[in-house]
Amino acid sequence: MSTTGKSMTQAEFEQLRTIIYERSGIYFEDNKKYILDSRLMRRLKELDLEGFDQYIALLSMGPFQMDEFQEMFNRITINETSFFRNEIQLDIFEKKILPTLLEKRNATKRLRIWSAASSTGEEPYTLAIMLHRTLGTRLTDWNIEILGTDISEKALTTAQEGKYPEYAFRTTPALVRNRYFRQDGAMWTIDNAIRKMVNFDVLNLKDRMGARRRGTWDIIFCRNVLIYFDDKMKADLSDTFASLIARDGYALVGHSEKLTDTSGTFTSVSSPQAFAYRAPDAVDPTGTDRFSAPRTVASAA
Ligand SMILES: C[S@@+](CC[C@H](N)C(=O)[O-])C[C@H]1O[C@@H](n2cnc3c(N)ncnc32)[C@H](O)[C@@H]1O
């Protein structure tokens, strides 16, 4: 194996950035060149390529092109996440938004939740835990679907295994961890009842048809991924969500993100810390009886 890969030139960075953007909507600003360079240099060495020009050629043609895109996204995506990430937002979700929707769905007892960039699974499993503790024994009466999707197949493999290091619980109360996970050496394994509530599937958010094939959703979580997209991708994705959200559904984003749909479907709920949007027929569950959030936050990011 060669260890003499040449580091990425500015022209190669710009070519790769365009290829990545066209495929995924992820836009690498100039100051993020080092991320591509360091993460893909290791791949060049594995493939015994001498430079990024050869890697770009591999991505641009040949029978292994699709596999290499998957491998590349496994390496260049930032999969940072944790259980119960952003406590204030999740409290509003669990205590206001979720009960409102459960009441509205009481006749059909069907609820569909999509975690649209689920990474290694902490977010959709957190939502499953919330449903489990909200519904308790009534859970068996309900048809709850929770889907976690991501562009990174590698992240989803970890999600499906359901085994996590202590670090995944840095924003999680120990009581919750101890109730829903079993310690096995340095790792914690998720309770089977919670694991069975969540399905995972590879989905590139650039793939509008792929998103449509999965139907409509009562709740969409799309947190901490819009920050990697440019304005056009953000607007396109917001429009996709607008077309897939139930008429009384809710969408939740990360603390520094916004939905920018051109259809005017989404309205912000009035509690700013909810980072939530409602579709036209949904009530604002935080509007009248303002939720008073706890002052201590483990992490807002
Ligand atoms: C920082 S993580 C956020 C995880 C979780 N939503 C949270 O807030 O904790 C961002 C995730 O977005 C995924 N991602 C980036 N671009 C994507 C795309 N075009 N389609 C689907 N997932 C994407 C990455 O693979 C990564 O796992």
Side-chain angles (χ1 to χ4, degrees), residues 23-26 73 77-82 85 115-120 122-124 149-152 155 203-207 221-225 227-229 233 254 301:
R23 282 281 166 155
S24 67
I26 302 171
F73 287 125
T77 49
I78 314 273
N79 306 119
E80 170 82 12
T81 186
S82 59
R85 182 180 192 180
S115 166
S118 64
S119 186
T120 39
E122 287 87 332
E123 179 178 276
T149 62
D150 202 279
I151 199 171
S152 167
L203 178 69
N204 182 349
L205 290 172
K206 181 97 182 171
D207 176 8
F221 268 73
C222 184
R223 300 191 307 164
N224 305 304
V225 65
I227 42 171
Y228 301 110
F229 299 151
M233 174 72 183

mmCIF file of all heavy atoms in Angstrom, residues 23-26 73 77-82 85 115-120 122-124 149-152 155 203-207 221-225 227-229 233 254 301, ligand 1:
data_model
loop_
_atom_site.group_PDB
_atom_site.id
_atom_site.type_symbol
_atom_site.label_atom_id
_atom_site.label_comp_id
_atom_site.label_asym_id
_atom_site.label_seq_id
_atom_site.Cartn_x
_atom_site.Cartn_y
_atom_site.Cartn_z
ATOM 1 N N ARG A 23 -24.408 15.488 -5.174
ATOM 2 C CA ARG A 23 -24.943 14.210 -4.696
ATOM 3 C C ARG A 23 -25.770 14.312 -3.428
ATOM 4 O O ARG A 23 -26.681 13.531 -3.201
ATOM 5 C CB ARG A 23 -23.783 13.255 -4.372
ATOM 6 C CG ARG A 23 -23.164 12.630 -5.546
ATOM 7 C CD ARG A 23 -24.008 11.479 -6.025
ATOM 8 N NE ARG A 23 -23.582 11.074 -7.342
ATOM 9 C CZ ARG A 23 -23.761 9.867 -7.833
ATOM 10 N NH1 ARG A 23 -24.385 8.959 -7.137
ATOM 11 N NH2 ARG A 23 -23.344 9.580 -9.040
ATOM 12 N N SER A 24 -25.373 15.234 -2.528
ATOM 13 C CA SER A 24 -25.936 15.177 -1.171
ATOM 14 C C SER A 24 -26.472 16.491 -0.634
ATOM 15 O O SER A 24 -27.155 16.487 0.386
ATOM 16 C CB SER A 24 -24.841 14.707 -0.202
ATOM 17 O OG SER A 24 -23.836 15.713 -0.119
ATOM 18 N N GLY A 25 -26.135 17.600 -1.274
ATOM 19 C CA GLY A 25 -26.528 18.900 -0.733
ATOM 20 C C GLY A 25 -25.564 19.406 0.336
ATOM 21 O O GLY A 25 -25.679 20.535 0.811
ATOM 22 N N ILE A 26 -24.599 18.564 0.744
ATOM 23 C CA ILE A 26 -23.622 18.999 1.755
ATOM 24 C C ILE A 26 -22.640 19.943 1.069
ATOM 25 O O ILE A 26 -22.063 19.597 0.028
ATOM 26 C CB ILE A 26 -22.848 17.800 2.347
ATOM 27 C CG1 ILE A 26 -23.802 16.792 2.969
ATOM 28 C CG2 ILE A 26 -21.815 18.279 3.367
ATOM 29 C CD1 ILE A 26 -23.136 15.474 3.396
ATOM 30 N N PHE A 73 -19.294 8.966 1.892
ATOM 31 C CA PHE A 73 -20.213 9.611 2.839
ATOM 32 C C PHE A 73 -20.050 9.027 4.250
ATOM 33 O O PHE A 73 -20.222 9.740 5.233
ATOM 34 C CB PHE A 73 -21.663 9.507 2.352
ATOM 35 C CG PHE A 73 -21.946 10.425 1.193
ATOM 36 C CD1 PHE A 73 -22.462 9.947 0.003
ATOM 37 C CD2 PHE A 73 -21.653 11.780 1.284
ATOM 38 C CE1 PHE A 73 -22.688 10.797 -1.072
ATOM 39 C CE2 PHE A 73 -21.880 12.641 0.219
ATOM 40 C CZ PHE A 73 -22.396 12.147 -0.963
ATOM 41 N N THR A 77 -19.128 12.531 6.637
ATOM 42 C CA THR A 77 -20.229 13.114 7.401
ATOM 43 C C THR A 77 -19.837 13.256 8.869
ATOM 44 O O THR A 77 -19.028 12.494 9.394
ATOM 45 C CB THR A 77 -21.507 12.235 7.289
ATOM 46 O OG1 THR A 77 -21.163 10.889 7.563
ATOM 47 C CG2 THR A 77 -22.126 12.341 5.919
ATOM 48 N N ILE A 78 -20.429 14.262 9.498
ATOM 49 C CA ILE A 78 -20.189 14.502 10.928
ATOM 50 C C ILE A 78 -21.371 13.863 11.650
ATOM 51 O O ILE A 78 -22.504 14.338 11.527
ATOM 52 C CB ILE A 78 -20.150 16.026 11.233
ATOM 53 C CG1 ILE A 78 -19.292 16.770 10.216
ATOM 54 C CG2 ILE A 78 -19.799 16.311 12.690
ATOM 55 C CD1 ILE A 78 -17.847 16.885 10.462
ATOM 56 N N ASN A 79 -21.126 12.812 12.406
ATOM 57 C CA ASN A 79 -22.226 12.027 12.979
ATOM 58 C C ASN A 79 -22.485 12.346 14.453
ATOM 59 O O ASN A 79 -23.149 11.576 15.155
ATOM 60 C CB ASN A 79 -21.935 10.520 12.802
ATOM 61 C CG ASN A 79 -21.650 10.152 11.360
ATOM 62 O OD1 ASN A 79 -20.568 9.667 11.031
ATOM 63 N ND2 ASN A 79 -22.585 10.418 10.472
ATOM 64 N N GLU A 80 -21.960 13.472 14.899
ATOM 65 C CA GLU A 80 -22.106 13.913 16.297
ATOM 66 C C GLU A 80 -23.580 13.887 16.747
ATOM 67 O O GLU A 80 -24.445 14.492 16.120
ATOM 68 C CB GLU A 80 -21.560 15.352 16.363
ATOM 69 C CG GLU A 80 -21.801 16.110 17.633
ATOM 70 C CD GLU A 80 -20.784 15.765 18.706
ATOM 71 O OE1 GLU A 80 -19.775 15.122 18.381
ATOM 72 O OE2 GLU A 80 -21.024 16.134 19.854
ATOM 73 N N THR A 81 -23.853 13.202 17.828
ATOM 74 C CA THR A 81 -25.216 13.134 18.367
ATOM 75 C C THR A 81 -25.151 12.603 19.789
ATOM 76 O O THR A 81 -24.068 12.239 20.268
ATOM 77 C CB THR A 81 -26.115 12.241 17.484
ATOM 78 O OG1 THR A 81 -27.457 12.292 17.951
ATOM 79 C CG2 THR A 81 -25.658 10.786 17.448
ATOM 80 N N SER A 82 -26.270 12.579 20.494
ATOM 81 C CA SER A 82 -26.310 11.958 21.828
ATOM 82 C C SER A 82 -27.764 11.713 22.193
ATOM 83 O O SER A 82 -28.670 12.309 21.598
ATOM 84 C CB SER A 82 -25.645 12.868 22.880
ATOM 85 O OG SER A 82 -26.295 14.108 22.947
ATOM 86 N N ARG A 85 -30.537 14.848 23.354
ATOM 87 C CA ARG A 85 -29.793 16.049 22.954
ATOM 88 C C ARG A 85 -30.750 17.233 22.870
ATOM 89 O O ARG A 85 -31.771 17.151 22.194
ATOM 90 C CB ARG A 85 -29.176 15.799 21.577
ATOM 91 C CG ARG A 85 -28.341 16.935 21.066
ATOM 92 C CD ARG A 85 -27.770 16.608 19.703
ATOM 93 N NE ARG A 85 -26.762 17.562 19.327
ATOM 94 C CZ ARG A 85 -26.099 17.509 18.171
ATOM 95 N NH1 ARG A 85 -26.340 16.557 17.301
ATOM 96 N NH2 ARG A 85 -25.188 18.409 17.877
ATOM 97 N N SER A 115 -37.115 10.494 11.899
ATOM 98 C CA SER A 115 -35.882 11.171 12.298
ATOM 99 C C SER A 115 -35.009 11.201 11.044
ATOM 100 O O SER A 115 -34.418 10.197 10.652
ATOM 101 C CB SER A 115 -35.222 10.381 13.436
ATOM 102 O OG SER A 115 -33.896 10.797 13.632
ATOM 103 N N ALA A 116 -34.963 12.388 10.411
ATOM 104 C CA ALA A 116 -34.497 12.457 9.018
ATOM 105 C C ALA A 116 -32.977 12.509 8.851
ATOM 106 O O ALA A 116 -32.508 12.485 7.718
ATOM 107 C CB ALA A 116 -35.147 13.661 8.332
ATOM 108 N N ALA A 117 -32.244 12.614 9.902
ATOM 109 C CA ALA A 117 -30.770 12.484 9.814
ATOM 110 C C ALA A 117 -30.377 11.877 11.154
ATOM 111 O O ALA A 117 -29.870 12.546 12.050
ATOM 112 C CB ALA A 117 -30.114 13.827 9.591
ATOM 113 N N SER A 118 -30.650 10.595 11.281
ATOM 114 C CA SER A 118 -30.663 9.963 12.611
ATOM 115 C C SER A 118 -29.279 9.588 13.102
ATOM 116 O O SER A 118 -29.116 9.177 14.245
ATOM 117 C CB SER A 118 -31.544 8.721 12.586
ATOM 118 O OG SER A 118 -31.001 7.755 11.705
ATOM 119 N N SER A 119 -28.275 9.665 12.211
ATOM 120 C CA SER A 119 -26.926 9.293 12.588
ATOM 121 C C SER A 119 -26.921 7.896 13.233
ATOM 122 O O SER A 119 -27.550 6.982 12.710
ATOM 123 C CB SER A 119 -26.308 10.372 13.496
ATOM 124 O OG SER A 119 -24.960 10.072 13.758
ATOM 125 N N THR A 120 -26.278 7.752 14.378
ATOM 126 C CA THR A 120 -26.117 6.432 14.998
ATOM 127 C C THR A 120 -27.326 6.011 15.862
ATOM 128 O O THR A 120 -27.225 5.048 16.633
ATOM 129 C CB THR A 120 -24.812 6.406 15.819
ATOM 130 O OG1 THR A 120 -24.649 7.675 16.473
ATOM 131 C CG2 THR A 120 -23.609 6.201 14.932
ATOM 132 N N GLU A 122 -29.268 7.683 18.262
ATOM 133 C CA GLU A 122 -29.615 8.224 19.581
ATOM 134 C C GLU A 122 -30.913 9.033 19.543
ATOM 135 O O GLU A 122 -31.717 8.976 20.478
ATOM 136 C CB GLU A 122 -28.465 9.085 20.125
ATOM 137 C CG GLU A 122 -27.247 8.286 20.588
ATOM 138 C CD GLU A 122 -26.236 7.981 19.484
ATOM 139 O OE1 GLU A 122 -26.639 7.879 18.297
ATOM 140 O OE2 GLU A 122 -25.035 7.804 19.801
ATOM 141 N N GLU A 123 -31.121 9.810 18.472
ATOM 142 C CA GLU A 123 -32.323 10.658 18.392
ATOM 143 C C GLU A 123 -33.614 9.824 18.271
ATOM 144 O O GLU A 123 -34.530 9.988 19.094
ATOM 145 C CB GLU A 123 -32.185 11.639 17.230
ATOM 146 C CG GLU A 123 -33.387 12.551 17.053
ATOM 147 C CD GLU A 123 -33.134 13.527 15.907
ATOM 148 O OE1 GLU A 123 -32.496 14.564 16.136
ATOM 149 O OE2 GLU A 123 -33.564 13.239 14.766
ATOM 150 N N PRO A 124 -33.733 8.917 17.279
ATOM 151 C CA PRO A 124 -34.989 8.144 17.210
ATOM 152 C C PRO A 124 -35.209 7.249 18.432
ATOM 153 O O PRO A 124 -36.352 7.062 18.862
ATOM 154 C CB PRO A 124 -34.849 7.323 15.929
ATOM 155 C CG PRO A 124 -33.411 7.365 15.573
ATOM 156 C CD PRO A 124 -32.871 8.634 16.115
ATOM 157 N N THR A 149 -33.442 7.663 9.344
ATOM 158 C CA THR A 149 -32.727 7.549 8.063
ATOM 159 C C THR A 149 -31.475 8.415 8.104
ATOM 160 O O THR A 149 -31.411 9.407 8.833
ATOM 161 C CB THR A 149 -33.600 7.996 6.870
ATOM 162 O OG1 THR A 149 -33.938 9.370 7.024
ATOM 163 C CG2 THR A 149 -34.848 7.152 6.734
ATOM 164 N N ASP A 150 -30.508 8.034 7.300
ATOM 165 C CA ASP A 150 -29.264 8.801 7.228
ATOM 166 C C ASP A 150 -28.569 8.441 5.918
ATOM 167 O O ASP A 150 -28.844 7.393 5.326
ATOM 168 C CB ASP A 150 -28.350 8.460 8.410
ATOM 169 C CG ASP A 150 -27.331 9.549 8.695
ATOM 170 O OD1 ASP A 150 -26.282 9.591 7.992
ATOM 171 O OD2 ASP A 150 -27.564 10.385 9.590
ATOM 172 N N ILE A 151 -27.671 9.313 5.485
ATOM 173 C CA ILE A 151 -26.897 9.021 4.274
ATOM 174 C C ILE A 151 -25.759 8.048 4.588
ATOM 175 O O ILE A 151 -25.244 7.375 3.704
ATOM 176 C CB ILE A 151 -26.345 10.340 3.665
ATOM 177 C CG1 ILE A 151 -25.947 10.126 2.205
ATOM 178 C CG2 ILE A 151 -25.192 10.899 4.471
ATOM 179 C CD1 ILE A 151 -25.592 11.425 1.474
ATOM 180 N N SER A 152 -25.370 7.970 5.855
ATOM 181 C CA SER A 152 -24.234 7.131 6.240
ATOM 182 C C SER A 152 -24.692 5.728 6.658
ATOM 183 O O SER A 152 -25.314 5.549 7.711
ATOM 184 C CB SER A 152 -23.457 7.783 7.394
ATOM 185 O OG SER A 152 -22.570 6.850 7.950
ATOM 186 N N ALA A 155 -23.137 4.694 10.024
ATOM 187 C CA ALA A 155 -23.834 5.211 11.213
ATOM 188 C C ALA A 155 -25.067 4.355 11.498
ATOM 189 O O ALA A 155 -25.364 4.023 12.659
ATOM 190 C CB ALA A 155 -24.226 6.671 11.001
ATOM 191 N N LEU A 203 -31.132 6.867 3.569
ATOM 192 C CA LEU A 203 -31.836 7.818 2.700
ATOM 193 C C LEU A 203 -31.026 9.101 2.604
ATOM 194 O O LEU A 203 -30.697 9.722 3.618
ATOM 195 C CB LEU A 203 -33.241 8.129 3.240
ATOM 196 C CG LEU A 203 -34.012 9.163 2.408
ATOM 197 C CD1 LEU A 203 -34.395 8.615 1.036
ATOM 198 C CD2 LEU A 203 -35.264 9.640 3.121
ATOM 199 N N ASN A 204 -30.722 9.467 1.377
ATOM 200 C CA ASN A 204 -30.059 10.735 1.101
ATOM 201 C C ASN A 204 -31.139 11.811 1.016
ATOM 202 O O ASN A 204 -32.077 11.682 0.216
ATOM 203 C CB ASN A 204 -29.313 10.579 -0.239
ATOM 204 C CG ASN A 204 -28.544 11.807 -0.630
ATOM 205 O OD1 ASN A 204 -28.697 12.876 -0.032
ATOM 206 N ND2 ASN A 204 -27.718 11.655 -1.646
ATOM 207 N N LEU A 205 -31.031 12.850 1.817
ATOM 208 C CA LEU A 205 -32.080 13.880 1.837
ATOM 209 C C LEU A 205 -32.162 14.660 0.525
ATOM 210 O O LEU A 205 -33.108 15.408 0.294
ATOM 211 C CB LEU A 205 -31.881 14.822 3.023
ATOM 212 C CG LEU A 205 -32.157 14.166 4.388
ATOM 213 C CD1 LEU A 205 -31.743 15.082 5.535
ATOM 214 C CD2 LEU A 205 -33.630 13.784 4.524
ATOM 215 N N LYS A 206 -31.186 14.480 -0.320
ATOM 216 C CA LYS A 206 -31.240 15.088 -1.661
ATOM 217 C C LYS A 206 -32.231 14.317 -2.548
ATOM 218 O O LYS A 206 -32.701 14.826 -3.561
ATOM 219 C CB LYS A 206 -29.825 15.004 -2.255
ATOM 220 C CG LYS A 206 -29.649 15.593 -3.601
ATOM 221 C CD LYS A 206 -29.109 16.991 -3.524
ATOM 222 C CE LYS A 206 -28.982 17.578 -4.909
ATOM 223 N NZ LYS A 206 -28.666 18.966 -4.909
ATOM 224 N N ASP A 207 -32.530 13.086 -2.146
ATOM 225 C CA ASP A 207 -33.361 12.190 -2.948
ATOM 226 C C ASP A 207 -34.842 12.397 -2.597
ATOM 227 O O ASP A 207 -35.411 11.704 -1.762
ATOM 228 C CB ASP A 207 -32.914 10.742 -2.669
ATOM 229 C CG ASP A 207 -33.769 9.711 -3.377
ATOM 230 O OD1 ASP A 207 -34.625 10.082 -4.207
ATOM 231 O OD2 ASP A 207 -33.571 8.511 -3.079
ATOM 232 N N PHE A 221 -38.402 14.989 12.720
ATOM 233 C CA PHE A 221 -37.232 15.567 13.387
ATOM 234 C C PHE A 221 -36.143 15.688 12.325
ATOM 235 O O PHE A 221 -35.781 14.693 11.694
ATOM 236 C CB PHE A 221 -36.721 14.656 14.513
ATOM 237 C CG PHE A 221 -37.315 14.977 15.848
ATOM 238 C CD1 PHE A 221 -38.632 14.650 16.135
ATOM 239 C CD2 PHE A 221 -36.561 15.606 16.834
ATOM 240 C CE1 PHE A 221 -39.189 14.951 17.371
ATOM 241 C CE2 PHE A 221 -37.105 15.917 18.078
ATOM 242 C CZ PHE A 221 -38.424 15.588 18.343
ATOM 243 N N CYS A 222 -35.622 16.893 12.125
ATOM 244 C CA CYS A 222 -34.501 17.061 11.199
ATOM 245 C C CYS A 222 -33.528 18.029 11.872
ATOM 246 O O CYS A 222 -33.511 19.227 11.591
ATOM 247 C CB CYS A 222 -34.982 17.605 9.855
ATOM 248 S SG CYS A 222 -33.610 17.684 8.679
ATOM 249 N N ARG A 223 -32.762 17.491 12.804
ATOM 250 C CA ARG A 223 -31.949 18.363 13.653
ATOM 251 C C ARG A 223 -30.467 18.222 13.318
ATOM 252 O O ARG A 223 -29.949 17.127 13.123
ATOM 253 C CB ARG A 223 -32.181 18.006 15.133
ATOM 254 C CG ARG A 223 -33.643 18.161 15.561
ATOM 255 C CD ARG A 223 -33.802 18.061 17.072
ATOM 256 N NE ARG A 223 -33.210 16.875 17.629
ATOM 257 C CZ ARG A 223 -32.942 16.709 18.922
ATOM 258 N NH1 ARG A 223 -33.215 17.691 19.777
ATOM 259 N NH2 ARG A 223 -32.404 15.597 19.362
ATOM 260 N N ASN A 224 -29.826 19.373 13.282
ATOM 261 C CA ASN A 224 -28.363 19.437 13.168
ATOM 262 C C ASN A 224 -27.822 18.803 11.895
ATOM 263 O O ASN A 224 -26.753 18.195 11.889
ATOM 264 C CB ASN A 224 -27.717 18.816 14.423
ATOM 265 C CG ASN A 224 -28.232 19.492 15.686
ATOM 266 O OD1 ASN A 224 -28.121 20.711 15.803
ATOM 267 N ND2 ASN A 224 -28.823 18.744 16.581
ATOM 268 N N VAL A 225 -28.584 18.970 10.813
ATOM 269 C CA VAL A 225 -28.075 18.569 9.496
ATOM 270 C C VAL A 225 -28.245 19.709 8.491
ATOM 271 O O VAL A 225 -27.420 19.870 7.589
ATOM 272 C CB VAL A 225 -28.738 17.268 8.991
ATOM 273 C CG1 VAL A 225 -30.223 17.426 8.744
ATOM 274 C CG2 VAL A 225 -28.050 16.768 7.730
ATOM 275 N N ILE A 227 -27.508 22.632 8.851
ATOM 276 C CA ILE A 227 -26.296 23.473 8.931
ATOM 277 C C ILE A 227 -25.238 23.082 7.900
ATOM 278 O O ILE A 227 -24.370 23.870 7.582
ATOM 279 C CB ILE A 227 -25.645 23.437 10.339
ATOM 280 C CG1 ILE A 227 -25.647 22.008 10.889
ATOM 281 C CG2 ILE A 227 -26.294 24.418 11.292
ATOM 282 C CD1 ILE A 227 -24.836 21.841 12.167
ATOM 283 N N TYR A 228 -25.312 21.862 7.394
ATOM 284 C CA TYR A 228 -24.315 21.433 6.401
ATOM 285 C C TYR A 228 -24.759 21.739 4.974
ATOM 286 O O TYR A 228 -24.017 21.477 4.025
ATOM 287 C CB TYR A 228 -24.047 19.922 6.529
ATOM 288 C CG TYR A 228 -23.548 19.556 7.903
ATOM 289 C CD1 TYR A 228 -24.336 18.834 8.786
ATOM 290 C CD2 TYR A 228 -22.294 19.986 8.331
ATOM 291 C CE1 TYR A 228 -23.882 18.525 10.058
ATOM 292 C CE2 TYR A 228 -21.835 19.685 9.601
ATOM 293 C CZ TYR A 228 -22.630 18.956 10.455
ATOM 294 O OH TYR A 228 -22.178 18.663 11.714
ATOM 295 N N PHE A 229 -25.987 22.258 4.806
ATOM 296 C CA PHE A 229 -26.536 22.483 3.475
ATOM 297 C C PHE A 229 -26.481 23.959 3.100
ATOM 298 O O PHE A 229 -26.480 24.834 3.976
ATOM 299 C CB PHE A 229 -27.991 22.008 3.420
ATOM 300 C CG PHE A 229 -28.174 20.523 3.699
ATOM 301 C CD1 PHE A 229 -29.353 20.056 4.271
ATOM 302 C CD2 PHE A 229 -27.188 19.599 3.379
ATOM 303 C CE1 PHE A 229 -29.537 18.702 4.519
ATOM 304 C CE2 PHE A 229 -27.361 18.237 3.617
ATOM 305 C CZ PHE A 229 -28.538 17.791 4.191
ATOM 306 N N MET A 233 -30.520 23.995 -0.989
ATOM 307 C CA MET A 233 -30.826 22.654 -0.460
ATOM 308 C C MET A 233 -31.775 22.770 0.741
ATOM 309 O O MET A 233 -32.702 21.971 0.899
ATOM 310 C CB MET A 233 -29.508 21.962 -0.086
ATOM 311 C CG MET A 233 -29.651 20.634 0.594
ATOM 312 S SD MET A 233 -30.213 19.300 -0.495
ATOM 313 C CE MET A 233 -30.334 17.953 0.701
ATOM 314 N N GLY A 254 -32.775 21.789 14.508
ATOM 315 C CA GLY A 254 -31.741 22.075 15.498
ATOM 316 C C GLY A 254 -31.802 23.522 15.978
ATOM 317 O O GLY A 254 -32.482 24.359 15.383
ATOM 318 N N ALA A 301 -26.690 21.914 22.158
ATOM 319 C CA ALA A 301 -26.259 21.635 20.793
ATOM 320 C C ALA A 301 -26.288 20.159 20.519
ATOM 321 O O ALA A 301 -26.505 19.369 21.402
ATOM 322 C CB ALA A 301 -24.850 22.157 20.599
HETATM 323 C C1 LIG B 1 -24.685 16.003 13.310
HETATM 324 S S1 LIG B 1 -25.598 14.562 12.868
HETATM 325 C C2 LIG B 1 -27.165 14.913 13.603
HETATM 326 C C3 LIG B 1 -27.791 13.697 14.259
HETATM 327 C C4 LIG B 1 -29.097 13.948 15.003
HETATM 328 N N1 LIG B 1 -30.128 14.425 14.125
HETATM 329 C C5 LIG B 1 -28.882 14.914 16.138
HETATM 330 O O1 LIG B 1 -29.311 16.070 16.034
HETATM 331 O O2 LIG B 1 -28.294 14.566 17.150
HETATM 332 C C6 LIG B 1 -25.889 14.911 11.133
HETATM 333 C C7 LIG B 1 -26.244 13.660 10.337
HETATM 334 O O3 LIG B 1 -26.728 14.077 9.060
HETATM 335 C C8 LIG B 1 -26.358 13.103 8.119
HETATM 336 N N2 LIG B 1 -26.436 13.692 6.759
HETATM 337 C C9 LIG B 1 -25.652 14.648 6.203
HETATM 338 N N3 LIG B 1 -26.057 14.895 4.938
HETATM 339 C C10 LIG B 1 -27.113 14.094 4.691
HETATM 340 C C11 LIG B 1 -27.962 13.885 3.571
HETATM 341 N N4 LIG B 1 -27.796 14.554 2.412
HETATM 342 N N5 LIG B 1 -28.941 12.978 3.670
HETATM 343 C C12 LIG B 1 -29.139 12.273 4.823
HETATM 344 N N6 LIG B 1 -28.366 12.428 5.920
HETATM 345 C C13 LIG B 1 -27.376 13.321 5.858
HETATM 346 C C14 LIG B 1 -24.940 12.732 8.528
HETATM 347 O O4 LIG B 1 -24.547 11.483 8.021
HETATM 348 C C15 LIG B 1 -25.050 12.758 10.056
HETATM 349 O O5 LIG B 1 -25.269 11.473 10.582
#
